[in-house]
Amino acid sequence: MPVVRRVRRIRRRRAAAVLRDRRRENRTHRQKTQRVTVKGFLAVLDMDAADIGRYSSWAGRHIAAAYRAAHHGYNTPCTTRTRTKPCSGHPKGRWIKVYAYRLTDPALIAGCATYKRTAPLLAAHFALAT
């Protein structure tokens, strides 16, 4: 009986070590990829700061829907936290969760193309790039 327990313990420790190493490799890979929030992407498209604050929420919904559609509804984008503007009751703003995407993610372009406020900016940006 003690031999069986010892073998099981060794197997569990090995499996935990393999999983820990795998997570460490994934963490370094994730840190190398550059991520951007919807506000950052809209700033790249040269949208006014007032319009970014006004339309980023709806643009984010369109982009998240495009991301889920591209992944057949099974995945959600990576989340990060950001601080909102100061308001009554929260003089420093509150922390909210927002989605962050890779710069090369096609959902950014697809989502902005479906939203009527960002579609002209996207068309103008890519017309200048070509």
Side-chain angles (χ1 to χ4, degrees), residues 22-80:
R22 207 179 292 161
R23 285 181 178 161
R24 187 177 299 132
E25 290 172 7
N26 286 339
R27 192 176 313 123
T28 57
H29 174 70
R30 273 183 284 159
Q31 290 170 354
K32 288 180 184 176
T33 58
Q34 188 177 9
R35 299 213 181 246
V36 65
T37 60
V38 174
K39 285 185 177 185
F41 185 68
L42 293 178
V44 169
L45 294 179
D46 297 328
M47 185 179 255
D48 296 334
D51 290 340
I52 289 175
R54 188 177 303 144
Y55 302 127
S56 63
S57 176
W58 280 100
R61 293 174 193 186
H62 282 265
I63 293 170
Y67 186 90
R68 287 189 198 102
H71 292 90
H72 307 292
Y74 291 112
N75 290 348
T76 57
C78 179
T79 58
T80 186

Side-chain angles (χ1 to χ4, degrees), residues 3-15:
V3 174
V4 173
R5 287 183 184 168
R6 196 174 319 141
V7 170
R8 286 182 184 164
R9 184 182 309 141
I10 291 170
R11 285 183 185 165
R12 278 195 314 261
R13 287 184 180 172
R14 282 185 189 158

Side-chain angles (χ1 to χ4, degrees), residues 73-129:
Y74 291 112
N75 290 348
T76 57
C78 179
T79 58
T80 186
R81 293 172 30 156
T82 187
R83 202 181 277 265
T84 61
K85 294 180 193 175
C87 59
S88 64
H90 300 282
K92 294 183 181 177
R94 9 178 233 119
W95 288 100
I96 59 170
K97 291 181 182 177
V98 295
Y99 290 134
Y101 304 90
R102 288 191 179 98
L103 281 174
T104 58
D105 199 344
L108 287 169
I109 296 170
C112 283
T114 60
Y115 184 45
K116 66 180 180 179
R117 302 286 185 181
T118 57
L121 290 172
L122 194 67
H125 184 72
F126 281 107
L128 292 174

